Amino acid sequence: MKLTIAEFKQDYIAQIKSSTARQINETTALERYTALGEMVKEYIGNLWANTNSTYRTEQVKQIYYFSMEFLTGKFMENNLNYLGIYEIVKDGLRSLDIDIDDILEVEVDQGLGNGGLGRLAAGFLDAMSSISIPGHGCGIRYKNGLFEQRIIDGYQVEFPDRWLVNNNVWEYKRNNKAVIVKYNGHVETHMDGERLKFELVNYDAVRAVPYDTPILGFENNTVNTLRLWSAEEIDDIFDFENFSKGNYLSAFEKKHSVEIITQILYPNDAYDEGKLLRLKQEYFFVSAGIQSIFNTYKKMNVGINRFAEFVAIHINDTHPALAIPELMRILLDEEEMTWEEAWKITTQCISYTNHTIMAEALEKWPLYMLRDLLPRITMIIEEIERRFTEDLINVYHITDPNHLSAMHIIYDGMVRMAHLSIIGSHSINGVAKLHTEILKNKELKVFYDIYPERFNNKTNGIMHRHWLLNANPGLTKLIGDTIGDGFKKNPRVLRDLLKYRDDKSFLDDLFEIKHQNKENLAKYIKDKQGIVVDPYAIFDMQAKRIHEYKRQHLNILHVMHLYRQLKENPNLDIPPRVFVFAGKSAPSYYVAKQIIKLINTVGSVINNDKSIKDKLKVVFLPNYGVSLASHMIPAADVSEQISTASKEASGTGNMKFMMNGAVTLATLDGANVEIMNEVGESNIILFGLKVEEVYDYYQNGHYNAYEIYNNSPDLKAVIDELVNGYLPVPKDEFIPIADRLLRFNDEFFILKDFESYRLAQERIAEIYRDKYQWSKMSLANIACSGAFSADYTIERYATSIWNVQKKLLDFKL
Ligand code: 26Y
């Protein structure tokens, strides 16, 4: 947009006065931030209104991306960049004696997600807007985001994330768009002429109120909507009669029991959280979202039978799978369609992404629970199941009872949401090539056999503008000065950087930028953790949720091994190294929390040992989230992507690190395989078991962790240190970890992969000695990272799943 510094200053001073009733020099950073937010919101508001009215009047197909999680992080810097006014605002503020960074600091992360799946959803919204796809998000406005992690005495301790205390300047509450969601009750049937009608009676009603956040596209006038639902008591009043009688607490009971639905985000990312409240949440936003899609659709007046031409609904994993029976319910009970018509529309509208093959993360609900909470929805699921089984027998000629039971939706008293999602949609995609192959040939093979045309791959992508423009301005400037700014809209252009592979002065610049980022992070680590790290050391990072399959303990066991080597020979000639860890554990995941304690314990021993001459440091940075990632990733030399092959569906952190010039230390898992294909084998460090080998071990049962332990003195020594009193903790502290590795035979092959990991780390140390060789690898990673932009991923969803056209908007602000 067009804005001069003078116009900005005038607007801003007026805004400060009207929103704070104070002189600018008397205001706090928060007031300055809020005032700027209000202003930016007004700029965006014009574009938003224009986008919506164009979509409506020109009757364009809309995409609705349903997700239980949206990890959007902060908005201000991005919105300023996307409007093209960041520099103007920065300069305008400076002339008012205000540092823009102090304002940006104040914003809190909108952390409504656990990890990869939630961040992916946020990135997809950004990409849909930025490549002009009419696509919106639908989710839950949790009052508390993912818990705040603090480390106390080496342990993770959880604190509530009250992100709304200072209000959220970006959202609009839309009372007039509220809808009712119905739970419990029972279904009554009666004949209405020829038609059997179903009616839910004696239900509990909850008001779902939407809060809309504008999602701005990059310099293209498009503003789509993220609609998050909040639960309110139907009249939003407490029981006044009860209150007047002096029953103060019980007067608020009903209100609380309703509001609790949107109070918390379940802090779990790999174990099925089978709780009634979670089920209520899932139905809550799905029902509200679908009702509101109908309300919008009806305004177009094109007839309900054309619904699938204008609406696509995407479900991000199975958490919103109740969209299938909910859509059926509305089409059958309210729109009075036949089952066949309704089913056709439903399957044409719905598409589903699978993000995991881990059995324990596949959602299942007890049938009795579902029936109690959602009687009509359960009837519909049972009818879907009945017809599906009929098809299996009559159309696909499957009669073997074992084969049939592998495919049922309802089995053993449980409702399998993945099966419902596959049966009720026209597209099922995995999130990396390898993952999709595993789905087709292993985990979901029975479904692939009957519906091969439904399965497809859509490799994940990241918000490249965030991870470069916002997170790494130094690198962004160097790239822009070297190859121009085309990469902002078309990140594949980054490949032009490959021309500078042998240009020493360019490699020097690249090294210098990385070094500056490392200096900045070193300062951050000193300020926050009191640990001094050498910015000339190799910065080796593992930042992601803590989980045994992601194998942070493989990393820390290797650090323990390096430390032993240095203790034996303090003059050992190795480049200094800093191992940085960050990530949250699910609060109920005991072993993962012990891994955090182990990292911190090892860190406290190593960081305080003068004898090793600062050659090794271990840092655990608390409270990993979008903001911390944005500080860390630009400073990384090595990106640890070391999951047990087959377990990580894709990974997206791997892409962010790569884009910022880190070299990946990887197993051939998830999208690491595609990263290798982009950069070439000489620019990635590989190690470890391959998927087939992992599956072989699982199948033939020949893996023996004890055997490896007994035959590898180096490895045995560090595992023994977990339990022999060497570490400054009670002797039994780390027994659970040691037990998982030995007594329970090391499900994730830490022992098996240790030697190969150790050798890979040796290679890294060797290569790093040669600054130019290292910087060349780093350059290759940056140059080849463009392929992993979410813009391209969304392009592929749009053409091959959603069948939606771009809508370019021409509008002058
Ligand atoms: C059922 C419930 C407890 C549950 C809640 C959240 C189950 C799973 C999740 C979240 C899973 C998740 O974040 N998966 C990650 O998705 C990323 C985006 O596709 C992948 O890159 C990553 O490999 C995968 O672990």
Side-chain angles (χ1 to χ4, degrees):
M1 66 176 277
K2 289 234 172 315
L3 183 75
T4 64
I5 294 186
E7 284 164 352
F8 167 74
K9 277 172 68 175
Q10 196 183 359
D11 287 358
Y12 189 60
I13 291 167
Q15 181 70 48
I16 286 266
K17 288 215 175 110
S18 81
S19 62
T20 70
R22 290 205 233 196
Q23 299 299 340
I24 205 160
N25 57 355
E26 295 168 344
T27 51
T28 63
L30 177 63
E31 287 168 330
R32 292 169 182 186
Y33 160 77
T34 309
L36 184 61
E38 294 291 351
M39 248 175 85
V40 172
K41 207 160 94 172
E42 202 177 308
Y43 297 148
I44 295 174
N46 288 318
L47 296 171
W48 203 6
N50 182 56
T51 306
N52 280 330
S53 59
T54 310
Y55 288 170
R56 204 168 34 246
T57 52
E58 298 193 24
Q59 303 192 334
V60 290
K61 183 170 185 178
Q62 312 279 308
I63 312 308
Y64 297 93
Y65 194 86
F66 277 54
S67 178
M68 198 74 176
E69 305 185 6
F70 285 97
L71 234 175
T72 46
K74 301 184 181 194
F75 282 100
M76 181 73 87
E77 187 173 3
N78 212 58
N79 284 343
L80 293 173
N81 269 325
Y82 280 24
L83 287 169
I85 59 171
Y86 182 84
E87 291 299 326
I88 300 278
V89 169
K90 182 175 158 189
D91 293 345
L93 289 171
R94 193 186 300 123
S95 71
L96 293 168
D97 237 5
I98 298 173
D99 183 344
I100 192 167
D101 287 336
D102 294 340
I103 290 192
L104 299 178
E105 239 335 273
V106 181
E107 182 168 8
V108 290
D109 273 28
Q110 188 161 318
L112 308 185
N114 273 290
L117 168 149
R119 182 63 192 160
L120 186 79
F124 279 2
L125 294 182
D126 174 87
M128 286 194 284
S129 292
S130 292
I131 69 164
S132 305
I133 299 286
H136 316 281
C138 177
I140 296 177
R141 181 180 179 271
Y142 302 101
K143 284 239 166 66
N144 293 280
L146 186 59
F147 65 87
E148 180 195 332
Q149 177 197 53
R150 293 193 205 154
I151 301 298
I152 300 179
D153 189 24
Y155 294 100
Q156 165 174 300
V157 181
E158 300 92 25
F159 289 79
D161 166 43
R162 298 192 213 281
W163 68 290
L164 285 165
V165 279
N166 290 327
N167 293 327
N168 171 12
V169 68
W170 304 110
E171 67 188 9
Y172 290 75
K173 184 176 185 183
R174 307 270 194 212
N175 276 315
N176 59 335
K177 303 248 159 110
V179 296
I180 302 293
V181 176
K182 299 174 183 176
Y183 296 107
N184 305 111
H186 66 272
V187 180
E188 284 186 352
T189 52
H190 63 268
M191 291 306 289
D192 180 13
E194 296 280 278
R195 195 180 172 86
L196 180 62
K197 297 276 286 181
F198 297 84
E199 197 186 345
L200 188 65
V201 295
N202 287 334
Y203 54 81
D204 297 322
V206 173
R207 212 164 96 94
V209 186
Y211 287 73
D212 289 352
T213 301
I215 304 293
L216 192 58
F218 177 65
E219 293 181 351
N220 70 346
N221 297 319
T222 298
V223 182
N224 291 325
T225 302
L226 168 58
R227 175 161 286 183
L228 299 178
W229 297 90
S230 181
E232 286 186 5
E233 228 274 276
I234 212 91
D235 301 313
D236 198 24
I237 49 163
F238 55 92
D239 180 349
F240 195 75
E241 203 182 308
N242 213 353
F243 185 83
S244 328
K245 287 186 196 143
N247 301 327
Y248 303 124
L249 285 180
S250 76
F252 285 95
E253 231 164 56
K254 177 125 186 282
K255 185 169 154 69
H256 286 164
S257 77
V258 165
E259 288 176 358
I260 199 141
I261 296 175
T262 50
Q263 276 297 341
I264 60 143
L265 160 77
Y266 274 94
N268 212 337
D269 67 341
Y271 284 96
D272 175 16
E273 193 59 69
K275 295 256 172 69
L276 178 62
L277 184 57
R278 190 175 159 96
L279 182 59
K280 270 192 184 170
Q281 291 184 327
E282 293 184 357
Y283 185 64
F284 176 74
F285 87 98
V286 157
S287 174
I290 293 200
Q291 291 182 59
S292 93
I293 292 172
F294 270 93
N295 292 342
T296 309
Y297 179 74
K298 291 210 160 156
K299 288 191 195 136
M300 280 201 326
N301 260 324
V302 287
I304 205 72
N305 51 342
R306 294 181 66 193
F307 193 76
E309 273 175 58
F310 295 98
V311 173
I313 296 171
H314 197 89
I315 59 176
N316 195 22
D317 217 292
T318 59
H319 320 149
L322 291 172
I324 294 161
E326 177 67 1
L327 189 51
M328 286 296 286
R329 181 189 70 77
I330 296 179
L331 294 172
L332 292 167
D333 298 357
E334 294 178 16
E335 303 300 331
E336 306 203 325
M337 283 187 164
T338 64
W339 181 278
E340 288 72 17
E341 288 165 339
W343 186 243
K344 191 163 172 221
I345 289 182
T346 299
T347 50
Q348 281 173 349
C349 282
I350 305 261
S351 46
Y352 153 59
T353 298
N354 172 292
H355 295 266
T356 189
I357 58 156
M358 310 259 292
E360 60 270 37
L362 291 177
E363 283 189 301
K364 293 187 242 7
W365 295 106
L367 182 59
Y368 76 87
M369 189 190 270
L370 206 64
R371 193 178 280 137
D372 238 31
L373 188 71
L374 305 168
R376 177 62 183 140
I377 291 297
T378 308
M379 283 173 89
I380 292 172
I381 294 174
E382 286 172 325
E383 181 62 12
I384 295 173
E385 162 84 335
R386 194 187 66 74
R387 288 171 183 249
F388 175 64
T389 310
E390 236 174 52
D391 275 2
L392 287 181
I393 295 167
N394 298 334
V395 181
Y396 300 103
H397 309 296
I398 298 172
T399 46
D400 170 18
N402 288 332
H403 196 165
L404 287 172
S405 39
M407 303 187 79
H408 284 306
I409 303 174
I410 303 169
Y411 184 70
D412 210 9
M414 303 296 276
V415 182
R416 297 153 156 176
M417 303 311 270
H419 296 199
L420 175 63
S421 305
I422 294 166
I423 296 159
S425 62
H426 66 278
S427 166
I428 298 114
N429 76 282
V431 288
K433 280 182 190 154
L434 179 73
H435 169 60
T436 303
E437 288 309 305
I438 294 176
L439 292 180
K440 293 197 306 199
N441 303 324
K442 283 233 161 258
E443 305 298 325
L444 300 178
K445 182 172 184 307
V446 281
F447 289 99
Y448 179 63
D449 286 343
I450 62 165
Y451 300 140
E453 71 292 346
R454 294 191 189 184
F455 284 77
N456 62 89
N457 177 57
K458 296 286 167 285
T459 299
N460 283 164
I462 55 168
M463 243 173 108
H464 74 278
R465 282 171 295 267
H466 176 80
W467 299 106
L468 285 177
L469 277 60
N470 297 349
N472 201 339
L475 182 59
T476 303
K477 178 158 185 333
L478 177 67
I479 297 172
D481 290 348
T482 312
I483 59 166
D485 281 339
F487 71 97
K488 294 180 183 172
K489 282 211 175 200
N490 183 10
R492 279 212 177 87
V493 170
L494 288 170
R495 272 199 173 262
D496 290 354
L497 290 170
L498 287 176
K499 284 185 231 143
Y500 299 85
R501 215 188 240 145
D502 297 313
D503 180 334
K504 282 207 164 169
S505 107
F506 183 79
L507 294 176
D508 282 335
D509 289 349
L510 202 57
F511 188 88
E512 191 41 47
I513 285 165
K514 179 64 78 182
H515 183 74
Q516 193 52 53
N517 291 337
K518 287 163 74 173
E519 293 266 5
N520 295 345
L521 188 68
K523 182 170 179 314
Y524 180 90
I525 292 173
K526 172 81 187 27
D527 291 350
K528 301 265 172 186
Q529 305 294 115
I531 303 170
V532 177
V533 300
D534 173 6
Y536 285 96
I538 302 177
F539 278 27
D540 179 309
M541 298 192 189
Q542 191 169 12
K544 50 182 80 253
R545 291 300 292 257
I546 310 290
H547 200 288
E548 286 166 279
Y549 87 77
K550 296 181 187 276
R551 303 201 293 189
Q552 283 90 354
H553 45 339
L554 172 58
N555 184 345
I556 196 70
L557 284 171
H558 171 256
V559 173
M560 291 163 72
H561 166 70
L562 280 182
Y563 180 58
R564 283 182 65 83
Q565 282 190 311
L566 278 171
K567 288 301 275 181
E568 270 167 33
N569 178 7
N571 294 321
L572 196 70
D573 181 23
I574 57 163
R577 284 170 129 127
V578 180
F579 289 89
V580 186
F581 293 82
K584 296 177 182 176
S585 156
S588 58
Y589 187 176
Y590 185 69
V591 175
K593 289 177 115 171
Q594 285 306 102
I595 292 174
I596 295 178
K597 172 68 177 169
L598 176 63
I599 294 167
N600 285 308
T601 307
V602 170
S604 71
V605 172
I606 292 179
N607 299 339
N608 294 313
D609 184 342
K610 298 260 179 316
S611 75
I612 56 165
K613 302 178 183 151
D614 286 343
K615 282 193 178 151
L616 201 54
K617 287 280 160 81
V618 178
V619 179
F620 188 98
L621 290 175
N623 207 31
Y624 188 61
V626 179
S627 282
L628 178 56
S630 312
H631 281 301
M632 287 175 67
I633 293 175
D637 294 309
V638 177
S639 154
E640 299 254 5
Q641 307 301 334
I642 61 176
S643 53
T644 311
S646 80
K647 301 288 178 189
E648 189 71 270
S650 162
T652 42
N654 45 4
M655 302 168 184
K656 299 164 198 168
F657 277 106
M658 171 197 194
M659 189 168 275
N660 279 277
V663 172
T664 315
L665 167 54
T667 47
L668 281 174
D669 198 17
N672 297 347
V673 178
E674 286 154 81
I675 289 181
M676 174 190 75
N677 290 336
E678 285 292 321
V679 294
E681 273 187 58
S682 56
N683 293 309
I684 186 169
I685 309 287
L686 298 172
F687 77 99
L689 288 175
K690 315 253 184 332
V691 169
E692 309 77 59
E693 296 169 313
V694 166
Y695 272 108
D696 267 0
Y697 274 123
Y698 284 147
Q699 254 144 36
N700 66 28
H702 290 167
Y703 183 58
N704 184 341
Y706 263 111
E707 200 177 295
I708 301 178
Y709 168 82
N710 286 323
N711 290 314
S712 340
D714 286 345
L715 178 58
K716 180 170 186 305
V718 288
I719 292 183
D720 288 349
E721 280 180 4
L722 295 178
V723 290
N724 66 8
Y726 175 80
L727 294 169
V729 287
K731 240 180 158 175
D732 54 1
E733 179 81 47
F734 297 124
I735 285 180
I737 299 181
D739 276 354
R740 306 275 301 147
L741 296 179
L742 293 173
R743 280 185 52 206
F744 304 125
N745 205 30
D746 185 20
E747 183 183 350
F748 298 103
F749 302 101
I750 308 287
L751 278 75
K752 179 74 192 165
D753 276 348
F754 184 83
E755 181 59 12
S756 145
Y757 178 76
R758 191 185 67 74
L759 291 170
Q761 282 284 14
E762 256 179 31
R763 287 210 302 283
I764 287 176
E766 216 34 61
I767 301 169
Y768 197 80
R769 284 176 197 276
D770 180 343
K771 171 180 158 182
Y772 288 107
Q773 196 191 345
W774 187 268
S775 292
K776 249 189 223 186
M777 281 174 83
S778 172
L779 170 62
N781 275 277
I782 300 168
C784 299
S785 67
F788 298 106
S789 165
D791 287 7
Y792 299 129
T793 310
I794 283 299
E795 193 99 47
R796 298 190 287 264
Y797 275 86
T799 44
S800 91
I801 299 181
W802 301 329
N803 189 25
V804 62
Q805 308 302 320
K806 291 187 178 178
K807 181 73 211 164
L808 300 173
L809 297 173
D810 202 10
F811 183 71
K812 293 274 167 294
L813 201 59

